[in-house]
Amino acid sequence: LGDGRVALVLDAAAVVASGLGLDGVAAGAPARDAAAPPARVLVVDDSITTRTLVQSVLEAAGFEVGVAPDGAAAWRLLQEQGAALVVSDVEMPGMDGFALCAAIRAAPRLRELPVVLVTGLESPEQRRRGLEVGADAYLGKSSFDQDALVATVGRLLAERADAPGTGAA
């Protein structure tokens, strides 16, 4: 710094990848052709801290990541840019994660889009509600595991790629 003090500068994605032992390739991330673009994942959370953490984890795993601060903004981004998968919090102002998931399932163009809910709402009733509105996975924040998130995203994208009518071989 200008006053002679040393400031530590970190590349968050590289630190996360190193901590996970990924060295540029995530365990559980879908294998893809080097020429193919990475899958686009939309991360939705009103907490900038959580949004940035999830974004860093997924980018370190090789995904392209877009972000939205709430369900309404995510809905607009899905209409404008699309995504291969959505990772969303539930508790957000305006359109919450349950409503976003229900809207995705009701939209003909998006109904097959995988949705992962990552939330602090962890009771059996809340988990059941998340699955009833169409979430493909429901992960609790209290036991958040970066490897489990990357593996879940990779599995859901691989399942979607293998589904009939998706153009996968």
Side-chain angles (χ1 to χ4, degrees):
L1 300 176
D3 64 0
R5 291 180 298 137
V6 175
L8 181 63
V9 178
L10 297 175
D11 177 350
V15 171
V16 170
S18 176
L20 294 173
L22 301 178
D23 295 327
V25 178
R32 61 180 183 87
D33 181 337
R40 179 170 161 49
V41 176
L42 180 59
V43 174
V44 188
D45 200 303
D46 60 323
S47 164
I48 191 167
T49 303
T50 303
R51 204 168 53 235
T52 303
L53 170 66
V54 173
Q55 178 182 16
S56 295
V57 168
L58 294 173
E59 285 176 344
F63 298 103
E64 176 187 334
V65 179
V67 295
D70 57 46
W75 183 249
R76 283 190 301 278
L77 284 172
L78 287 171
Q79 300 304 309
E80 296 167 5
Q81 302 172 6
L85 182 139
V86 173
V87 174
S88 180
D89 185 20
V90 170
E91 293 181 292
M92 297 179 287
M95 178 185 258
D96 68 13
F98 290 144
L100 175 62
C101 188
I104 289 169
R105 292 296 171 249
R109 186 174 67 85
L110 298 173
R111 80 173 38 135
E112 299 301 319
L113 182 68
V115 176
V116 178
L117 295 177
V118 180
T119 179
L121 301 177
E122 300 181 46
S123 74
E125 296 80 23
Q126 293 159 330
R127 179 177 300 275
R128 187 170 31 261
R129 180 170 177 215
L131 297 174
E132 285 172 355
V133 297
D136 296 283
Y138 196 97
L139 305 175
K141 285 184 178 178
S142 70
S143 59
F144 182 73
D145 179 333
Q146 297 172 355
D147 292 332
L149 175 64
V150 171
T152 299
V153 168
R155 176 182 56 80
L156 291 171
L157 288 171
E159 287 173 2
R160 183 174 186 220
D162 292 340
T166 61

